[in-house]
Amino acid sequence: MIEFLPLLPFLPLTLASPLHPRLDDGLARTPQMGWNTYNQYNCFPNESIIHSNAEALIETGLADAGYRYVTVDCGWSVEDRLPNGTITWNETLFPQGFPALGQYLHERGLLFGAYGDSGILLCGSPPNNTGSLYHEEIDAQTFASWEIDSLKYDNCYSDAATNYPNVNYAPSTSPAPRFTLMSHHLQSQERPILFQVCEWGIDFPALWAPEIGHSWRIGNDITPHWRSIVRTLNQAVPQQEFVGKGQWADLDMLLVGTTAANSENEGGYVLSIPEEQTHFSLWSILKSPLTIGAELEGIRGGSLEILTNADVVGFNQDALGVPAGLRRRWSDEGSEVWSGELQGGRVVAAV
Ligand code: GAL
């Protein structure tokens, strides 16, 4: 169900097409690149995890290759707000605090990615981690005061009509107004803050997210299996026509270099190297944000080479910002062709 959303006069908009108003604040002219805690550490991030992976981003050359947003996903907040109403971090997990964490990242040329939720709690609760519903303005101000550079905004515990269940994939109202409200308050801060809409594609966000954010998740979480790649690509097909500079369809985190306890591959890697190459190439040319989900210390050389392949990263970061689309699929034979334009009259194709 799509609800009518009034155009907010305070958002700078370009009208690429009169039917598709877009947020145009100069951020994410190419898909954002970075690293996120969730896939490898679930909802148990902490300061030393962030420090060690941030150092590894630099030492491995990943930061130089463009991966700069470091995002602390679920698990960082606590149940209660401070007496003045502000949201705060878990002091046991982050003893030096979030402002110091931001400073640590900025000193190293990295960017500070925060995670919040448009419901009453963060995804991954319990233990209860407070979310931003009904506190959007003060939370946007607080996040900005911590000098965050991006906000991944999630959709758990948000459906008031059904008493705030953890997840409701068929809610009675659209998530769009809740995400729009947070976008408005982020836009009101002096600091430019990249806004990542994460409502799992339940209300076809391609139709409304480009107006309020810089990327939108197209589906549910990627899981550590090859079949999850195939499922995600299928879900991407109808999204690609809405993608453009500053508005990217987010295919979710990369499995390149990701390990899992139950994997039978050598070293516990979820995918083989050829599978990682295929996965990375497609995420790249579809212009998905490139967010590494792997633990970086000790990551195998083959996965690092894939993540830093200058040609493939270059296709993703191409200035034209045109995503590849599915051209043809031979289902019986198991092959397909994707292609898309690049600047300079070139075309990139994946077979
Ligand atoms: C999901 C989201 C994931 C991750 C997780 C945390 O809703 O899609 O990317 O953030 O919550 O629990």
Side-chain angles (χ1 to χ4, degrees):
M1 177 189 48
I2 306 297
E3 287 189 351
F4 173 73
L5 274 178
L7 277 186
L8 297 172
F10 35 77
L11 296 180
L13 297 173
T14 46
L15 297 180
S17 134
L19 291 178
H20 300 302
R22 287 164 179 269
L23 178 63
D24 184 19
D25 59 2
L27 286 176
R29 305 314 290 162
T30 60
Q32 67 268 21
M33 298 170 66
W35 180 88
N36 174 300
T37 48
Y38 178 60
N39 275 12
Q40 202 83 55
Y41 303 96
N42 204 301
C43 295
F44 304 100
N46 64 43
E47 203 166 86
S48 65
I49 286 174
I50 307 300
H51 287 181
S52 63
N53 282 283
E55 297 297 337
L57 273 175
I58 293 160
E59 280 159 22
T60 54
L62 286 164
D64 282 343
Y67 300 89
R68 293 177 67 219
Y69 286 95
V70 175
T71 300
V72 185
D73 209 286
C74 55
W76 66 269
S77 84
V78 287
E79 180 162 6
D80 295 320
R81 290 175 173 268
L82 295 176
N84 67 0
T86 58
I87 193 167
T88 193
W89 58 88
N90 181 320
E91 285 186 345
T92 311
L93 300 175
F94 296 92
Q96 296 180 57
F98 265 37
L101 190 62
Q103 201 182 344
Y104 176 95
L105 295 170
H106 291 150
E107 279 167 5
R108 286 158 179 77
L110 300 171
L111 297 164
F112 184 16
Y115 168 88
D117 196 286
S118 64
I120 55 173
L121 298 174
L122 301 188
C123 297
S125 301
N128 288 353
N129 274 201
T130 191
S132 293
L133 185 61
Y134 311 128
H135 302 273
E136 289 84 357
E137 182 171 14
I138 189 172
D139 286 0
Q141 288 165 352
T142 305
F143 293 149
S145 76
W146 297 346
E147 305 204 329
I148 70 162
D149 301 293
S150 64
L151 180 68
K152 171 179 172 181
Y153 204 49
D154 217 328
N155 196 32
C156 294
Y157 301 97
S158 60
D159 189 13
T162 50
N163 202 25
Y164 303 108
N166 178 7
V167 166
N168 186 351
Y169 293 127
S172 51
T173 57
S174 171
R178 282 181 282 107
F179 283 80
T180 302
L181 189 58
M182 183 49 105
S183 168
H184 160 57
H185 289 303
L186 290 176
Q187 290 287 322
S188 306
Q189 307 307 313
E190 276 178 21
R191 212 180 157 70
I193 298 175
L194 185 136
F195 189 45
Q196 299 169 262
V197 173
C198 177
E199 55 79 273
W200 325 302
I202 59 173
D203 192 14
F204 204 74
L207 286 179
W208 51 268
E211 194 176 337
I212 61 163
H214 304 92
S215 64
W216 64 92
R217 277 274 299 279
I218 64 165
N220 209 339
D221 299 3
I222 197 165
T223 62
H225 312 98
W226 173 253
R227 65 170 184 273
S228 195
I229 309 269
V230 179
R231 179 269 288 174
T232 305
L233 287 169
N234 284 339
Q235 286 180 296
V237 173
Q239 306 273 338
Q240 296 307 92
E241 66 177 288
F242 300 92
V243 170
K245 282 184 197 175
Q247 284 86 28
W248 311 106
D250 185 349
L251 276 56
D252 203 6
M253 279 172 255
L254 295 161
L255 295 180
V256 180
T258 297
T259 55
N262 59 0
S263 164
E264 287 169 12
N265 289 330
E266 201 187 331
Y269 286 92
V270 168
L271 302 180
S272 66
I273 289 287
E275 286 172 337
E276 288 191 353
Q277 287 168 330
T278 307
H279 162 45
F280 187 66
S281 300
L282 285 161
W283 260 233
S284 163
I285 69 171
L286 270 73
K287 302 288 193 283
S288 173
L290 298 178
T291 308
I292 301 169
E295 179 177 352
L296 295 175
E297 262 184 325
I299 187 174
R300 66 180 163 184
S303 297
L304 257 188
E305 272 174 37
I306 292 169
L307 292 168
T308 54
N309 183 303
D311 286 335
V312 184
V313 171
F315 298 146
N316 182 259
Q317 298 292 302
D318 182 80
L320 203 59
V322 172
L326 179 65
R327 304 300 165 206
R328 187 157 174 190
R329 175 174 280 171
W330 292 265
S331 300
D332 286 345
E333 293 82 356
S335 47
E336 57 198 51
V337 175
W338 294 75
S339 71
E341 280 174 73
L342 299 174
Q343 66 172 341
R346 297 173 304 150
V347 170
V348 63
V351 181

